Amino acid sequence: MGKPLFYEILEKPATSCAIGICSAIWFYIQKSNIGYSHVGLSYETALEGHYWRIITSAFSHISVLHLVFNMSALWSLGVVEQLGHLGLGMQYYLHYTLVLVVLSGMLVIGMYHILIQKFKLEYFRRVTAVGYSCVVFGWMTILSVKQPSSKLNLFGFLSLPISFAPFESLIFTSIIVPQASFIGHLSGIIVGYAVGWGLIHGMNNYWVVTMLGWTALVFVFSLKKSGTFDLNFLEIEPVTDPSLPSVRFFAAGTRRSLQMSTLPDAGADLV
C-alpha cells in the first residue's frame, strides 16, 4: 500500500506546486472563455513579438484530458525531487524546469522557422503549441539518462521502461492524439538530452536568478509591445526637478520608445 497523498505532496513540493499552477491556470482559462490561440505559441505570433507566449503556452492546456494526462505524467516524474543522493533533488528540479520551459519554447520556434523557410512547409505557420508536455518530455528524457533502469508509471496502471519512455511516448501520443504537438514534444526531448548528457550544466542560484530576471523582462516588455494588455503601470513619469535626468516611455503610433533627457550644455541638443 502506498503512502498517503499528503506525504507524497510533502516529498514532491515543487512538482505539487507546478501541478497546482497549471490546474489554476486551466480553471481560469475555462471560466474566462480564453481560447488557446490567445495564450499558445506559434510562428506567426513569435514574428509579431509575442515572446511572452513561450511562458503562457507552457502552463496552459486545451482541455481537462490534456491537463490530466500531462499532470499525471509530471507527478510520476516528480521522483526527481527525491533523488538528491544522485545529484538531483528539488533544487536541481527547479533549476532545470526553468531551463526546459524557456529553451524548449525557443527551440519550437526555431524548428518552425526551419520547416517554413527551408522546407517551405507553410502548414507550420498555423500550428499553435500549448501545454506542459515539453517539460514532461524533458524530465522523462533526463531520467532516462540519469536512471535508465527505473520505470515510469502513468495513471497507476501503465508502466514504461524509462530508458525508452521518451520516444515511446512521442510515438504513442502522436498516434492516439493526432493534434498533439510533435515538434513541442521533440523539443522537450532534445533539451532533456542536452541536460542529461551535461551539454547544459552548471545551473546554480546565480544563473537561475539571472535567467529569471531576463525572462521576466522579456515577458513584460514583449507583452506591453504586443498591446495585448494595457500595462499602464510601466509608464515612468519624468521628474519635476530640471537639474536631474528624466526618463519616460512614450507611445508613437504603435511603437514604444524610450526617451532620456538631462539639462544640456549651451548649444547641445541631446535626445
Side-chain angles (χ1 to χ4, degrees):
M1 187 174 179
K3 296 179 182 179
L5 179 61
F6 175 75
Y7 290 105
E8 290 199 45
I9 291 174
L10 292 179
E11 291 177 347
K12 304 176 182 178
T15 303
S16 301
C17 286
I19 292 173
I21 290 170
C22 288
S23 300
I25 290 174
W26 176 82
F27 183 77
Y28 175 78
I29 286 174
Q30 297 302 310
K31 293 291 289 184
S32 304
N33 291 321
I34 298 174
Y36 70 90
S37 61
H38 295 96
V39 293
L41 180 65
S42 69
Y43 184 73
E44 290 294 336
T45 55
L47 290 180
E48 294 169 3
H50 294 203
Y51 306 125
W52 51 270
R53 290 173 180 263
I54 289 176
I55 306 300
T56 60
S57 64
F59 291 93
S60 305
H61 292 82
I62 297 173
S63 66
V64 66
L65 288 177
H66 186 204
L67 176 71
V68 169
F69 185 84
N70 277 347
M71 295 304 101
S72 63
L74 184 64
W75 180 254
S76 298
L77 293 165
V79 68
V80 171
E81 295 189 66
Q82 303 169 325
L83 299 176
H85 60 288
L86 297 176
L88 302 178
M90 185 177 73
Q91 188 177 63
Y92 182 94
Y93 182 86
L94 289 171
H95 289 178
Y96 287 99
T97 290
L98 175 62
V99 170
L100 288 168
V101 169
V102 175
L103 294 191
S104 60
M106 293 173 64
L107 186 57
V108 166
I109 295 302
M111 294 174 75
Y112 284 165
H113 180 77
I114 292 171
L115 290 169
I116 293 167
Q117 301 298 332
K118 183 70 173 178
F119 298 99
K120 308 302 180 184
L121 298 175
E122 294 296 318
Y123 161 78
F124 287 98
R125 287 186 183 274
R126 303 186 300 274
V127 175
T128 300
V130 61
Y132 204 69
S133 51
C134 57
V135 179
V136 170
F137 274 84
W139 279 118
M140 199 184 299
T141 305
I142 293 170
L143 268 182
S144 73
V145 174
K146 301 288 188 180
Q147 286 282 91
S149 61
S150 59
K151 291 184 178 295
L152 176 66
N153 294 309
L154 297 175
F155 306 113
F157 63 88
L158 182 60
S159 181
L160 298 173
I162 194 69
S163 57
F164 301 109
F167 290 103
E168 285 178 345
S169 300
L170 179 66
I171 295 170
F172 180 72
T173 54
S174 297
I175 292 173
I176 66 169
V177 187
Q179 67 268 33
S181 175
F182 182 88
I183 299 296
H185 296 171
L186 183 61
S187 296
I189 291 174
I190 292 171
V191 178
Y193 275 123
V195 172
W197 289 338
L199 301 177
I200 298 174
H201 65 281
M203 286 294 290
N204 53 35
N205 290 336
Y206 170 79
W207 287 114
V208 167
V209 171
T210 301
M211 191 172 182
L212 271 175
W214 279 109
T215 301
L217 280 174
V218 171
F219 182 92
V220 172
F221 284 103
S222 66
L223 191 62
K224 181 177 176 62
K225 183 178 179 181
S226 69
T228 306
F229 295 98
D230 187 13
L231 304 178
N232 290 325
F233 66 88
L234 288 178
E235 299 296 333
I236 304 176
E237 295 295 331
V239 295
T240 56
D241 188 345
S243 66
L244 296 175
S246 64
V247 180
R248 65 189 178 92
F249 289 97
F250 66 95
T254 59
R255 302 184 63 183
R256 268 58 172 180
S257 302
L258 173 66
Q259 185 183 67
M260 301 182 66
S261 61
T262 187
L263 191 63
D265 295 328
D269 187 11
L270 305 179
V271 178

